[in-house]
Amino acid sequence: MIGRWARFVAGSYPPLTSVLLACAWAYGVTGLFAAIQPSYAAAWRPDTGTAVAAVTLVVTLLLMRAVDDIRDLEYDRRHHPKRPLARGAVSIRDLLVLCASGSVVLLAINADSPTALAVLAGQLGYCLLVLAVHHWLRWPSGDKLVLSLLVSFPAQLLLHVYLYARYLHSASLGTSRDGALAIVIVVLASVHLELAKKITRRPQPGERSYVDVFGLAGTTGIALAAPALSAVLLIAGARATAVLAPLAVLPLALPALAGWRFRRSTTLRWPEAAPALYLLVTFAGYFVIGLSSG
């Protein structure tokens, strides 16, 4: 089974890029909380709790990938037949055992923070619920992109709340509405990745693309407007001591350049690596801004 898990990781969760993005997410968003939360007077620095959060995100995103692959199995057999589950390199049972084993490990390493543990348990439970509803009711259909996104969104949202709980535990702080603002900022930044990676001028028959929902101009407009609004909110909401907050505008050059190239060329799809690169650079920016906020 371990060998089959390895084939799943290699085919659906490329280790280098996946681990890099998960760690950048954990360290970057925690830095964002430090940049926004005004009651934290001391200089923020990553600690053991941040490292635990990074490991948690690496594993949790792997489990979420497994859940998504199970839900999208029929679609992948038609459109992505080389993925491990679709081509039979791993079974649904293998992935369910992976999810169960990974969940036990995650809960164990987060036992030191009861609030973070509770949020994480809720996130894992929600993923299980989504998978169970899909199995028994075949709902929602993956072809209904917006509905499917809304159903999946709480799992991502709870990961941000988990990071916030971890941050508050390390900083010995209570909750505030500034934490909600930080989560809105990072969610808006993530909208770009979700939409841009599926932008195509002419979706193939049966292909799932937001272009079918919002049109090409609408999808492109939302994909570009969301990160811009995210940067504006960060600059406006950052603590006065977060002197590097204006750096939030720099990552916007990446979606702007990708949009310009897409518009000027005849290529069918948005530049493939650009959305993930934007989010990675944005998370790195959050980390630097957080370090500067003390």
Side-chain angles (χ1 to χ4, degrees):
M1 184 176 292
I2 293 177
R4 295 193 295 273
W5 286 351
R7 288 193 288 272
F8 171 74
V9 170
S12 284
Y13 192 73
L16 180 60
T17 55
S18 299
V19 171
L20 181 61
L21 186 60
C23 290
W25 183 349
Y27 280 86
V29 174
T30 304
L32 177 62
F33 290 130
I36 296 293
Q37 188 97 357
S39 57
Y40 191 18
W44 170 76
R45 293 294 181 269
D47 58 9
T48 303
T50 318
V52 169
V55 173
T56 297
L57 256 65
V58 169
V59 177
T60 304
L61 293 177
L62 171 62
L63 305 188
M64 290 173 66
R65 180 69 266 165
V67 169
D68 285 346
D69 276 17
I70 294 173
R71 291 174 63 200
D72 292 339
L73 177 56
E74 295 305 319
Y75 179 82
D76 286 343
R77 281 173 173 163
R78 297 193 304 270
H79 296 277
H80 305 288
K82 293 184 179 180
R83 285 189 175 174
L85 184 59
R87 61 184 170 88
V90 66
S91 69
I92 290 178
R93 180 180 178 276
D94 292 333
L95 297 185
L96 292 177
V97 174
L98 174 64
C99 289
S101 304
S103 296
V104 171
V105 171
L106 290 174
L107 296 176
I109 66 174
N110 282 279
D112 64 309
S113 176
T115 303
L117 178 64
V119 175
L120 181 61
Q123 195 271 347
L124 295 170
Y126 183 80
C127 290
L128 177 61
L129 175 63
V130 168
L131 188 57
V133 169
H134 169 78
H135 176 74
W136 292 108
L137 302 178
R138 296 297 172 183
W139 183 92
S141 168
D143 294 331
K144 298 183 181 298
L145 269 182
V146 175
L147 177 60
S148 186
L149 176 63
L150 292 175
V151 169
S152 300
F153 175 68
Q156 184 186 99
L157 178 63
L158 285 169
L159 283 183
H160 296 313
V161 177
Y162 161 78
L163 290 176
Y164 187 48
R166 265 286 171 196
Y167 166 76
L168 294 178
H169 178 77
S170 296
S172 300
L173 294 173
T175 59
S176 81
R177 59 185 180 185
D178 300 288
L181 174 60
I183 291 174
V184 169
I185 289 169
V186 70
V187 166
L188 284 171
S190 301
V191 165
H192 176 75
L193 174 63
E194 175 64 27
L195 269 65
K197 67 183 181 180
K198 296 179 180 177
I199 291 178
T200 176
R201 298 185 194 276
R202 293 188 299 275
Q204 298 297 314
E207 181 182 0
R208 296 169 182 171
S209 173
Y210 291 102
V211 172
D212 288 327
V213 181
F214 304 115
L216 180 59
T219 306
T220 302
I222 297 170
L224 293 176
L229 178 58
S230 174
V232 169
L233 290 177
L234 171 52
I235 293 171
R239 298 166 56 190
T241 53
V243 294
L244 297 183
L247 289 178
V249 302
L250 295 182
L252 297 179
L254 294 171
L257 178 60
W260 179 82
R261 289 177 58 191
F262 181 72
R263 182 177 180 181
R264 293 292 299 270
S265 71
T266 58
T267 183
L268 289 179
R269 300 183 181 277
W270 195 269
E272 184 177 2
L277 180 60
Y278 156 74
L279 201 58
L280 182 62
V281 173
T282 296
F283 288 158
Y286 292 164
F287 180 73
V288 172
I289 293 169
L291 290 177
S292 76
S293 63

